[in-house]
Amino acid sequence: MSNYKWFLSALLIISAVSQGLSQYETELEVSLNDYTKELSIKQQFTYYNDSNYSLGQLYFNDWAHAYSNKNTGLSKRFAQEFKKSLHLAKRNERGYTTIISAVDDNYLGLEYERTKEDDILRIKLNEPLLPKESTKIFITYKVKLPPNKFTPYGYDNRGNYYLKDWYLTPAVYDGKWHLYSNKNLEDLYTNITNTTINFKYPDSLFLATNFNKFNSTNFSSGQYVRLEGENRKSAEIILQRNNDFTKHVTPHMTFVTNISAPRYSPIGQGISISKIADFIHENLGEYPHKTLLVSELDYDKNPLYGLNQLPSFIRPYDQQFQFEMKFLKTALNSMLQETLFLDPRKEQWLNSAIANYLMIAYVEEYYPDQKLLGKLSRIWGIRSFNLAQMGFNEQYSFLYNLTARKNLDQALTTPNDSLIKFNQKIANKYKAGLGLAYLADYMGKEKVDESIKTFFKYYKLNKVSILDFESILKRSTDKDINWFFRDYVSTDRKIDFKIKKVKKIGDSLEVTIKNKEGTNVPISVFGLKEDSVISKYWFKDIEFSETFSIPNNNEDKLVLNYDQKIPEFNQRDNWKSLGGFLSSNKKLNFTFFKDSENPYYNQVFYVPVLNFNIYDGWTPGMRLYNKTLLERPFVYDFAPSYSFREKAFVGYGKFNYRKYLSKSGLYVANYAIGASTSHFNVNSRYTSVTPALSFGWRPEDLISNKRQFLSFRYVNIFRKFDETVQDLANDSENPDYSVFNMRYINRNNGILDYNSWFADFQLAGNFSKLSFEYEYRKLFENNRQLNLRFFAGKFLSNKTDSDFFSFALDRPTDYLFDYGYLGRSEDSGIYSQQIIIAEGGFKSFLDERYRFSNNWLTTVNASFNLWRWIELYGDAGLVKNKNVPEKFVYDSGVRLNLVTDYFELYLPLYSNNGWEIAQPDYGERIRFIITVDIKTLTGLFTRKWF
């Protein structure tokens, strides 16, 4: 061994030993009541004060209590993700902890209370605990388990149990207390503890655990087992009616697992598990415990996102590959969580980096030709897609960029509970793994591999921090890698380079590279000849733009980041052809539907479209656009269609440029111009042309649903009337008009508390008007929901001769053509019953004299649920027309709120018309809301992720 390696090993050993093995010990007597779903627990805890301060109180994580009410961190986290299941849960469905007693080693009672987080228990000591001294605490309590419909933990309807973070564990103190609430993020932070559990459970259950099992016996009323875990965080216990766990013994470690593949033979699974064990041992090191629990439940919490989540009969991967990736990912995550005791809320990225880096390496070693779409990439009609040509490992950069392109990416050092769900589950984990692959490509793979093994060898089962890993990496190389921790890990700054120009000078090439984002990280340059790599270079310290000289090897083109090891923001300008001016022009590539970006082509996508309104009928057409699977700044979208009923072309076209300005505050600006044409009555066409500008604001907390928008647009409407349609006679005298519209929106789109208001100003040649709307929704703790909406509108000037531009009580005329009316000009029949909750928001059709206002209008709309989606609604307001006294109007009825804002029915009962339910043709009085726009409906399901 070299002197350097000897010195490094000695230094690491001293560092690890100085931190000491676990000084915390706990012993639990636990009994599971299968009928009440309760755990009765007597816990003896030996707490060692390894700090330099006296402690007058201790804190314990009581994460089982996170299910106890609607104000815990878990409930609030669910609300942020648009999940209200825990908020609506009944008392008998909630999990909670009941403390019976707490005494010290002198059997004197201890005062205890919960912190505001509810799932943290504070125990006040009778005497201060001095530094390097220990004390014993005895706590008796019961844990009521929740059903597993909220999280994977608790019990299911088949009588199985999954217990994790279910008993009291010590919070970490290192000069300050680290008190983290349970937010379903798999990041319990507790001291390393030697734990013994004497567990009694029903004889109908089989037990699997990450702890060691001893003295398993049966007795008259159940089973008993002694569980021991040395240097552990917490015990994970799975109890099943039918035991599907098997034990796989390999030369390096023993796995207890129920992960399987029905169409992959047990012998094949055993061979794959042995191969994975060899890979983990070679690339990570020796697992320090007797067995590693690799469960289907753990996989489900952190699955292989993407095609692997399709139903099994259409999954595109071979069974062996799919099984190995599934098992490898779960085993790596479980092993790292069991052995590397980082701060899991603030330093969670390192475990993800190591796990995903090793998964990338596994595919490179054993499945280098694996495509992202698997077998689908060989099917005619699919194989031509750029997505089908992508390698399996390219998904890491692709999915990271899914949020980066939306300006929702977050630094790897962002605390776990401050990450949006997509980043917490996918993007940041993938970026972390890519980061190590990027670093390995730059400084040498063998050096990163050796650093990971050294880090794991000397820091497993000890308190550790990111600085320890950083120190090992820096010792392994002479290259400056400060950029990795400074710019890649600690910031959300984008990486984006461009080859600005290439100049041939003799036998050299002068390459000018521009750093578009200013992020000071190294960039790779590849030389290609006939699509084969013939040269590769690394360049760094490009602050703005730098020119470098490289040998001329007769390359056809130069390409930045050709192997995509770097998660670059935009690769469309990464190449430069050396074959002359015309060869640098990108060719057009027409692709059906949508595809991933291909930087070597100008991509145009096409897809058939089919729309409907009662005047045009069904209008088939072809949509042409350039929007890829990843968001891009400039988008065009055209959809020419043909109306068979009107025998004319209709459709729309638009250009939009989106510029993200920052991460918070004023974060986005949109510049757009669009045009559309369609029929709004028989043989009557409108055409709109609208330039627009808008700005958006958001808070620093990206999880927050608060948003503000300010928009300006100039709507130009051109109309052509059919002379036979008498209802349009007045409007036909002035068919064309233009309206300047300015609107400010302030919205907090929460599932428990919804607040939204806007102020709107419109100016046209013959009128100007101002309106205000406020909407509030509140889901109370008794599961009742209140909906309130207030609208007020006033004409500042009005020289119009009809009600076309007037405020509407129940059905706006939509002269700006903003709303998705199926029959916008109808005043009878089913299409006239469609309602858009705008302006007055009334549901009943009142007297024609009060349905419009050419002066001012103010209304209040309210509803309150009786049972689930059945609500009572009521509307009241004042309508004021010129030269006419104001009129008080009202209506009421039943609202079937099936999906708020997407599908609703309104059944009127009583209004200015009297008892509507008793009047003839009641069916014609029922109103409905229906949303058929695919983009709007998609947002209903993706909102919890972004």
Side-chain angles (χ1 to χ4, degrees):
M1 181 184 292
S2 68
N3 291 335
Y4 166 73
K5 289 188 175 180
W6 181 89
F7 174 76
L8 176 61
S9 298
L11 185 64
L12 291 172
I13 291 172
I14 293 171
S15 175
V17 171
S18 67
Q19 295 183 60
L21 296 177
S22 170
Q23 300 287 344
Y24 300 87
E25 294 185 359
T26 186
E27 184 169 348
L28 297 94
E29 298 286 338
V30 183
S31 178
L32 170 63
N33 187 320
D34 196 26
Y35 178 74
T36 62
K37 313 299 183 187
E38 281 186 341
L39 296 169
S40 296
I41 302 175
K42 294 180 179 178
Q43 184 171 1
Q44 172 185 312
F45 196 89
T46 302
Y47 192 99
Y48 178 77
N49 183 4
D50 56 359
S51 74
N52 296 319
Y53 305 92
S54 296
L55 299 176
Q57 56 190 8
L58 305 179
Y59 290 87
F60 291 86
N61 302 299
D62 183 12
W63 276 24
H65 200 68
Y67 304 86
S68 62
N69 62 68
K70 305 175 185 183
N71 298 307
T72 64
L74 183 63
S75 292
K76 293 175 181 178
R77 179 75 181 190
F78 279 180
Q80 290 174 327
E81 296 177 356
F82 296 92
K83 294 165 61 176
K84 56 183 179 182
S85 56
L86 189 55
H87 186 88
L88 298 176
K90 300 176 182 177
R91 174 62 180 174
N92 62 356
E93 294 178 317
R94 296 188 175 279
Y96 52 87
T97 302
T98 303
I99 306 295
I100 298 172
S101 66
V103 299
D104 61 16
D105 49 4
N106 294 318
Y107 297 100
L108 296 175
L110 295 170
E111 295 182 17
Y112 57 86
E113 64 179 351
R114 297 193 176 280
T115 65
K116 63 179 182 179
E117 291 83 9
D118 264 340
D119 55 3
I120 305 291
L121 190 68
R122 179 194 294 118
I123 295 181
K124 184 177 180 181
L125 300 176
N126 291 322
E127 295 181 1
L129 180 60
L130 300 177
K132 315 309 176 187
E133 296 291 331
S134 63
T135 187
K136 286 188 177 181
I137 296 175
F138 303 88
I139 309 174
T140 303
Y141 56 100
K142 288 188 176 183
V143 173
K144 173 68 168 64
L145 299 173
N148 69 343
K149 67 179 184 178
F150 311 120
T151 69
Y153 310 131
Y155 60 89
D156 64 21
N157 54 15
R158 296 185 300 273
N160 302 315
Y161 296 84
Y162 183 23
L163 309 181
K164 189 175 182 183
D165 308 329
W166 51 277
Y167 58 89
L168 298 178
T169 58
V172 173
Y173 180 79
D174 57 7
K176 67 175 181 178
W177 288 102
H178 297 270
L179 306 178
Y180 299 155
S181 283
N182 181 1
K183 297 184 178 180
N184 194 32
L185 299 174
E186 300 291 319
D187 57 357
L188 177 71
Y189 195 24
T190 181
N191 279 307
I192 311 162
T193 306
N194 292 334
T195 303
T196 301
I197 302 173
N198 299 304
F199 196 76
K200 296 178 183 178
Y201 60 100
D203 55 9
S204 59
L205 296 171
F206 297 91
L207 185 147
T209 180
N210 61 330
F211 274 29
N212 301 323
K213 294 194 290 186
F214 301 96
N215 303 331
S216 182
T217 58
N218 293 319
F219 57 95
S220 59
S221 59
Q223 301 180 72
Y224 165 87
V225 68
R226 183 178 179 87
L227 307 176
E228 294 183 1
E230 184 178 353
N231 295 319
R232 299 275 193 164
K233 291 194 291 185
S234 62
E236 183 177 349
I237 296 176
I238 300 174
L239 298 163
Q240 296 179 319
R241 301 290 173 184
N242 299 307
N243 185 20
D244 61 357
F245 280 88
T246 57
K247 181 181 289 188
H248 292 265
V249 180
T250 74
H252 305 299
M253 65 185 77
T254 298
F255 298 97
V256 175
T257 182
N258 64 343
I259 290 180
S260 63
R263 290 183 288 172
Y264 186 36
S265 70
I267 294 177
Q269 292 179 37
I271 294 172
S272 290
I273 290 174
S274 294
K275 181 170 75 172
I276 290 169
D278 290 341
F279 177 82
I280 292 176
H281 185 267
E282 180 182 345
N283 290 276
L284 191 57
E286 182 179 353
Y287 184 58
H289 301 303
K290 288 178 62 176
T291 60
L292 179 66
L293 182 66
V294 184
S295 70
E296 190 79 37
L297 278 165
D298 282 333
Y299 169 75
D300 289 340
K301 292 180 296 185
N302 190 15
L304 290 164
Y305 287 97
L307 296 175
N308 293 66
Q309 293 182 293
L310 293 172
S312 58
F313 65 91
I314 58 173
R315 287 178 188 164
Y317 302 120
D318 291 332
Q319 287 292 304
Q320 178 179 347
F321 174 76
Q322 189 164 290
F323 173 80
E324 289 180 11
M325 296 306 295
K326 182 176 180 178
F327 193 94
L328 175 65
K329 181 169 189 176
T330 311
L332 283 171
N333 286 329
S334 297
M335 185 171 173
L336 292 169
Q337 289 172 8
E338 293 278 359
T339 54
L340 292 181
F341 300 136
L342 296 153
D343 182 333
R345 185 150 292 182
K346 296 180 179 178
E347 299 178 321
Q348 77 285 351
W349 70 267
L350 183 53
N351 276 354
S352 298
I354 295 173
N356 284 288
Y357 173 75
L358 293 180
M359 289 187 66
I360 292 171
Y362 188 86
V363 172
E364 289 177 344
E365 181 173 347
Y366 294 108
Y367 299 96
D369 299 322
Q370 179 65 49
K371 297 297 184 182
L372 177 59
L373 295 189
K375 299 174 185 177
L376 297 179
S377 63
R378 300 192 294 267
I379 297 176
W380 181 87
I382 297 179
R383 64 190 179 200
S384 60
F385 282 83
N386 189 63
L387 190 67
Q389 307 307 315
M390 291 172 60
F392 185 82
N393 282 343
E394 291 182 59
Q395 66 176 305
Y396 294 93
S397 178
F398 179 80
L399 290 174
Y400 157 69
N401 269 310
L402 202 62
T403 50
R405 292 285 188 90
K406 294 177 180 290
N407 197 32
L408 290 171
D409 55 314
Q410 295 169 278
L412 295 181
T413 52
T414 304
N416 218 15
D417 59 346
S418 296
L419 294 171
I420 64 171
K421 185 174 181 179
F422 191 88
N423 288 339
Q424 192 267 327
K425 289 285 188 182
I426 305 174
N428 273 38
K429 293 181 178 182
Y430 284 9
K431 182 187 177 183
L434 274 174
L436 285 185
Y438 178 12
L439 195 62
D441 198 35
Y442 175 69
M443 61 182 274
K445 185 176 186 303
E446 69 286 348
K447 294 180 180 179
V448 172
D449 291 349
E450 194 62 34
S451 295
I452 291 174
K453 288 188 285 187
T454 301
F455 176 69
F456 187 78
K457 179 179 180 180
Y458 293 107
Y459 284 102
K460 61 188 176 186
L461 304 185
N462 285 284
K463 291 181 181 179
V464 64
S465 73
I466 299 296
L467 291 175
D468 299 314
F469 182 66
E470 181 178 350
S471 177
I472 291 173
L473 274 175
K474 288 181 175 179
R475 290 192 188 104
S476 69
T477 181
D478 295 329
K479 293 184 177 180
D480 179 11
I481 59 171
N482 282 315
W483 58 267
F484 179 73
F485 295 94
R486 181 190 64 233
D487 295 293
Y488 188 91
V489 170
S490 300
T491 75
D492 56 14
R493 297 182 65 182
K494 312 291 190 298
I495 299 174
D496 195 8
F497 291 87
K498 173 185 179 179
I499 297 181
K500 194 172 181 181
K501 64 179 180 179
V502 179
K503 186 177 180 180
K504 294 181 180 180
I505 301 179
D507 58 356
S508 299
L509 298 174
E510 283 195 353
V511 184
T512 301
I513 300 175
K514 180 180 179 181
N515 188 342
K516 296 167 64 177
E517 293 289 336
T519 308
N520 190 8
V521 296
I523 184 69
S524 58
V525 178
F526 292 79
L528 272 64
K529 186 178 182 67
E530 296 179 354
D531 294 328
S532 296
V533 175
I534 62 173
S535 59
K536 179 182 179 182
Y537 309 93
W538 281 97
F539 300 112
K540 62 176 186 174
D541 296 326
I542 305 172
E543 187 174 357
F544 300 108
S545 179
E546 295 288 341
T547 299
F548 304 91
S549 180
I550 62 175
N552 185 350
N553 297 315
N554 295 316
E555 292 93 342
D556 296 328
K557 61 173 72 80
L558 296 180
V559 184
L560 299 176
N561 188 25
Y562 180 72
D563 56 0
Q564 298 189 34
K565 294 286 188 181
I566 306 170
E568 202 177 358
F569 181 69
N570 172 26
Q571 297 184 27
R572 294 189 300 274
D573 51 10
N574 272 18
W575 68 285
K576 182 71 72 172
S577 174
L578 304 181
F581 175 74
L582 293 178
S583 65
S584 297
N585 294 332
K586 296 182 180 180
K587 298 178 181 179
L588 283 176
N589 176 254
F590 288 89
T591 305
F592 176 72
F593 191 56
K594 189 178 285 191
D595 198 1
S596 59
E597 281 186 352
N598 188 330
Y600 306 114
Y601 290 91
N602 286 315
Q603 294 169 286
V604 180
F605 304 107
Y606 63 92
V607 63
V609 293
L610 185 65
N611 294 307
F612 174 81
N613 66 59
I614 63 171
Y615 313 113
D616 289 309
W618 293 103
T619 56
M622 185 65 67
R623 182 183 172 206
L624 302 171
Y625 58 103
N626 72 329
K627 186 177 181 181
T628 61
L629 293 172
L630 296 178
E631 187 175 302
R632 58 195 310 173
F634 175 73
V635 173
Y636 60 79
D637 192 348
F638 296 91
S641 303
Y642 186 76
S643 167
F644 284 101
R645 181 167 293 179
E646 289 288 342
K647 295 181 174 54
F649 284 98
V650 293
Y652 69 85
K654 57 185 176 182
F655 297 93
N656 188 86
Y657 178 75
R658 177 173 296 168
K659 175 66 175 177
Y660 287 113
L661 306 172
S662 66
K663 192 64 67 177
S664 60
L666 177 59
Y667 77 100
V668 67
N670 274 292
Y671 310 86
I673 183 168
S676 65
T677 183
S678 185
H679 291 85
F680 63 94
N681 210 315
V682 177
N683 198 26
S684 300
R685 176 191 290 270
Y686 82 89
T687 299
S688 69
V689 178
T690 306
L693 169 65
S694 66
F695 303 95
W697 288 262
R698 69 183 178 199
E700 291 185 8
D701 178 12
L702 297 189
I703 296 178
S704 170
N705 295 307
K706 295 179 180 179
R707 296 291 185 272
Q708 300 172 65
F709 301 97
L710 178 64
S711 63
F712 305 88
R713 60 176 177 163
Y714 191 61
V715 184
N716 301 276
I717 303 296
F718 309 95
R719 295 182 294 169
K720 179 181 178 181
F721 297 89
D722 188 314
E723 296 178 357
T724 64
V725 182
Q726 296 299 318
D727 291 343
L728 303 178
N730 291 334
D731 290 333
S732 62
E733 297 176 4
N734 297 290
D736 304 334
Y737 55 89
S738 299
V739 179
F740 170 74
N741 180 212
M742 179 174 65
R743 175 174 289 197
Y744 172 78
I745 301 174
N746 189 308
R747 182 174 64 231
N748 186 4
N749 183 23
I751 198 169
L752 304 181
D753 291 279
Y754 176 96
N755 284 276
S756 176
W757 64 270
F758 72 76
D760 186 274
F761 172 73
Q762 295 179 20
L763 175 65
N766 54 0
F767 74 88
S768 61
K769 62 198 300 189
L770 186 66
S771 61
F772 173 84
E773 178 185 296
Y774 175 76
E775 188 172 1
Y776 174 74
R777 300 173 192 162
K778 173 69 175 178
L779 185 62
F780 293 99
E781 291 195 11
N782 62 0
N783 298 337
R784 299 292 186 187
Q785 180 165 304
L786 173 66
N787 303 275
L788 291 173
R789 177 180 175 272
F790 171 78
F791 175 82
K794 176 73 172 74
F795 275 93
L796 304 179
S797 63
N798 189 358
K799 301 176 183 178
T800 61
D801 298 324
S802 71
D803 281 322
F804 185 65
F805 298 104
S806 296
F807 295 112
L809 189 65
D810 61 77
R811 184 175 164 87
T813 56
D814 191 25
Y815 52 87
L816 297 179
F817 294 90
D818 288 332
Y819 305 137
Y821 279 126
L822 299 176
R824 63 178 60 251
S825 299
E826 299 303 291
D827 54 14
S828 63
I830 185 66
Y831 297 105
S832 70
Q833 294 171 239
Q834 181 185 4
I835 185 173
I836 304 290
I837 303 298
E839 299 186 3
F842 267 55
K843 290 78 186 179
S844 292
F845 296 108
L846 301 186
D847 191 294
E848 290 290 339
R849 293 173 296 174
Y850 317 126
R851 293 184 65 185
F852 295 97
S853 167
N854 58 21
N855 192 345
W856 58 264
L857 170 70
T858 179
T859 60
V860 175
N861 316 120
S863 64
F864 189 76
N865 69 313
L866 297 175
W867 179 78
R868 293 190 177 177
W869 38 266
I870 300 176
E871 304 177 5
L872 288 179
Y873 74 81
D875 306 314
L878 292 171
V879 180
K880 177 68 171 71
N881 280 288
K882 289 187 290 186
N883 304 319
V884 177
E886 62 270 13
K887 173 67 176 178
F888 176 71
V889 289
Y890 60 91
D891 71 2
S892 62
V894 176
R895 176 191 188 192
L896 304 182
N897 187 6
L898 302 174
V899 183
T900 302
D901 296 334
Y902 294 88
F903 184 46
E904 306 176 21
L905 290 175
Y906 292 89
L907 311 175
L909 294 178
Y910 190 79
S911 69
N912 291 85
N913 298 327
W915 284 101
E916 301 207 30
I917 195 170
Q919 297 181 17
D921 301 322
Y922 180 73
E924 297 179 4
R925 300 172 183 270
I926 296 174
R927 308 294 297 275
F928 65 88
I929 289 176
I930 185 168
T931 299
V932 295
D933 180 69
I934 298 298
K935 183 178 180 180
T936 303
L937 290 173
T938 302
L940 180 64
F941 300 101
T942 60
R943 58 184 180 175
K944 69 179 181 180
W945 288 90
F946 301 101

